[in-house]
Amino acid sequence: MGIEELYPVGRLATAQRATAAAGLDALLLTPGSDLRYLTGYDAREGERLTCLVLPAEGEPTLIVPVLERPDAEAAPGTGYRIVDHADGTDPWPLVRAALSGPVRAVGLADRMWAQQVLALRDVLPGAAQRLASDVLREMRIRKSPAEVAALAEAGAAIDAVHLRMGQWLRPGRTEREVAADLAAAIRAAGHAAVDFVIVAAGPNGASPHHGTSDRPIGVGEPVVVDIGGTMPSGYRSDCTRTYVAGGPAPAGFADYYAVLREAQRAAVAAVAPGVTAEALDAVARDMISDAGFGDAFLHRTGHGIGLDGHEEPYVVTGNPRPLQAGMAFSVEPGIYLAGRHGARIEDIVVCTTDGGQRLNTTPTELIAL
């Protein structure tokens, strides 16, 4: 997989056609995943303006601080010119100068800073502001073969860390100590950055987004380990396994873990084009509910993944969107018993033309370390 395959010639032109079809005169994209998707530029987020001005018609312009121009020029994307600005100068007129004719409506990066939104209102008075995701959602939600390969590379890298868990996770060590080792291992496995490390032992495992603490791990405690990072390609990993540390599991834990495992496996097996996101959520949720743990499944079954750790499609009740080939998302049901313990199993899955491809391949059986 070459980097040029992730940022193919013609992507900007496709986005421009979609911008025009959405009734927008331009997209204005500050640092983030949309900017990287279109240009390959992993821009710094800061008070200095970086903005891709993508008109519905005409030449795109990437506005950057002069001190960051070399990084922008090294990005793999093509099809745009670069304009820089020096410290102490006002960069906002450059946005207007990159647009010809009247500007009636623009699409803004979804996570643009409020101060930038307000500055654009001043420089483009009267222009309606909408979300750029209205245009880019349909491009990004279905991954190309190169993107799937990048996600598979990320999945293999995070799997390699889970396979070494016995080196670090043992009774007496604190969650934070284990997490520090995991963060180092995530980088050593090939990630450019660590996005998150959750090590949640015993009662902390009942909190899905616990993080870590200085609490020592007890003998026989279930431990939820959810880890993920960003690869040099920009594509993300995210995988959860549940372990038992140094002794027999608590009474009843193995029973509900078996329910969880079957529900997760059934949901992975149900992935196919045409299945709706909410129907896929229901596969796991109904099995867990039928076993009496419905109230203990506290979150959606999954989220999309790519250049963002969480993106569309969301596998959740109320989302009627049918799955399509190329969509990539997590399948991660969980059961959480407050004050006692919890469990979650998470794989990244890509919808294919005739089913689903699981990108995390480590065992999902309950593993005693």
Side-chain angles (χ1 to χ4, degrees):
M1 176 194 65
I3 194 71
E4 65 281 354
E5 296 176 87
L6 286 172
Y7 302 102
V9 174
R11 180 173 282 174
L12 281 175
T14 300
Q16 287 181 289
R17 290 191 294 271
T19 299
L24 297 175
D25 297 301
L27 299 185
L28 305 176
L29 304 177
T30 45
S33 57
D34 284 338
L35 175 61
R36 188 167 189 176
Y37 179 77
L38 291 180
T39 66
Y41 182 33
D42 184 19
R44 295 173 179 85
E45 188 175 52
E47 72 282 0
R48 296 180 176 96
L49 178 66
T50 296
C51 183
L52 175 67
V53 181
L54 185 77
E57 295 183 4
E59 184 180 24
T61 301
L62 179 60
I63 299 167
V64 301
V66 65
L67 74 165
E68 295 172 8
R69 183 173 186 128
D71 291 339
E73 290 176 338
T78 59
Y80 53 89
R81 68 184 180 120
I82 297 176
V83 173
D84 60 48
H85 58 92
D87 283 356
T89 62
D90 182 3
W92 295 101
L94 297 175
V95 176
R96 186 63 186 90
L99 296 168
S100 61
V103 181
R104 296 168 294 271
V106 294
L108 306 184
D110 287 20
R111 299 173 189 176
M112 182 181 288
W113 289 6
Q115 62 184 198
Q116 296 169 331
V117 173
L118 296 176
L120 286 169
R121 288 182 183 176
D122 291 337
V123 77
L124 297 171
Q129 294 178 332
R130 288 167 46 190
L131 294 177
S133 59
D134 291 346
V135 173
L136 298 177
R137 178 185 301 111
E138 295 307 309
M139 292 180 64
R140 290 186 55 184
I141 200 169
R142 293 183 299 276
K143 272 54 182 180
S144 68
E147 290 180 285
V148 172
L151 286 168
E153 180 183 42
I158 209 68
D159 282 355
V161 179
H162 273 292
L163 289 171
R164 297 174 58 197
M165 198 62 59
Q167 297 179 28
W168 310 298
L169 201 162
R170 54 184 177 270
R173 302 198 75 203
T174 68
E175 294 173 342
R176 203 177 311 279
E177 287 170 338
V178 174
D181 289 333
L182 291 176
I186 290 169
R187 291 187 179 91
H191 293 81
V194 178
D195 293 341
F196 56 88
V197 178
I198 294 174
V199 180
N204 290 337
S207 175
H209 282 175
H210 162 69
T212 62
S213 75
D214 290 321
R215 180 185 181 277
I217 297 168
V219 174
E221 283 189 332
V223 186
V224 179
V225 178
D226 186 354
I227 51 178
T230 302
M231 298 293 285
S233 65
Y235 286 79
R236 311 288 185 114
S237 65
D238 188 356
C239 183
T240 308
R241 295 291 183 262
T242 302
Y243 303 90
V244 175
F253 179 80
D255 293 336
Y256 80 74
Y257 186 88
V259 170
L260 176 66
R261 182 167 181 254
E262 288 306 308
Q264 200 266 351
R265 291 176 67 186
V268 169
V271 173
V275 175
T276 66
E278 62 185 356
L280 186 61
D281 177 90
V283 170
R285 195 167 304 279
D286 289 351
M287 291 178 68
I288 290 171
S289 296
D290 290 347
F293 296 102
D295 291 342
F297 184 2
L298 304 176
H299 52 73
R300 63 197 173 205
T301 292
H303 57 82
I305 190 170
L307 287 171
D308 283 317
H310 286 195
E311 59 183 51
E312 297 192 49
Y314 293 102
V315 182
V316 64
T317 302
N319 183 3
R321 175 150 191 164
L323 301 180
Q324 296 173 280
M327 290 183 176
F329 45 86
S330 65
V331 177
E332 52 174 309
I335 296 175
Y336 310 95
L337 304 185
R340 296 171 60 192
H341 33 64
R344 181 165 65 256
I345 304 170
E346 176 184 19
D347 292 320
I348 301 303
V349 180
V350 176
C351 184
T352 65
T353 56
D354 58 359
Q357 176 188 359
R358 182 170 164 254
L359 299 187
N360 298 107
T361 58
T362 59
T364 60
E365 292 90 352
L366 183 61
I367 298 174
L369 298 176

